[in-house]
Amino acid sequence: MRIRTKDITYIEAFSHETEVHETEAAYRVREGIGVWQERLSDSGLFVLCHRSYLVNLLHVARIDKTEVILDGGERIPLSRRSYRAVHEAFIRFYSRKRGGM
């Protein structure tokens, strides 16, 4: 099965498996989140907001101190340790996006 990178909203880890979420569906895969993080690192779209969650910046509506809220209303945990990096990635991403318009 092929999934377009832009269609992935977030990826959630469960031990040695992950669940890849799109807006309309989710798929269970037998790979750890580290594999996904490495595979998607070149896209510049994904950020690890918690040890179990990788979110696509295209689908982030806003960031609070303890969670990332996606366009569809999903609330993804945001660790204190990751807050600064996620916030900076979010600002960088949207600054580039607006600059390219």
Side-chain angles (χ1 to χ4, degrees):
M1 173 181 293
R2 289 182 157 270
I3 301 172
R4 294 186 315 188
T5 304
K6 69 177 189 160
D7 293 336
I8 298 170
T9 54
Y10 69 98
I11 299 170
E12 182 177 4
F14 299 99
S15 188
H16 296 289
E17 292 185 343
T18 50
E19 197 165 86
V20 179
H21 293 262
E22 291 183 312
T23 52
E24 307 264 333
Y27 308 96
R28 225 8 125 82
V29 181
R30 296 195 92 138
E31 294 178 325
I33 200 155
V35 172
W36 284 102
Q37 189 175 11
E38 186 175 322
R39 182 179 294 152
L40 298 168
S41 65
D42 290 343
S43 72
L45 295 176
F46 290 84
V47 63
L48 192 67
C49 63
H50 182 279
R51 66 186 173 136
S52 300
Y53 292 90
L54 196 58
V55 295
N56 186 338
L57 293 169
L58 283 172
H59 298 279
V60 173
R62 74 177 200 269
I63 298 171
D64 288 343
K65 285 285 186 189
T66 60
E67 60 190 6
V68 175
I69 297 92
L70 303 180
D71 293 331
E74 297 96 334
R75 295 176 176 272
I76 309 299
L78 174 59
S79 69
R80 284 186 294 168
R81 179 178 292 158
S82 298
Y83 175 79
R84 176 180 238 148
V86 171
H87 188 260
E88 289 173 359
F90 182 71
I91 290 170
R92 229 180 4 261
F93 176 76
Y94 279 97
S95 294
R96 267 186 301 175
K97 188 174 174 183
R98 286 175 42 157
M101 294 179 119

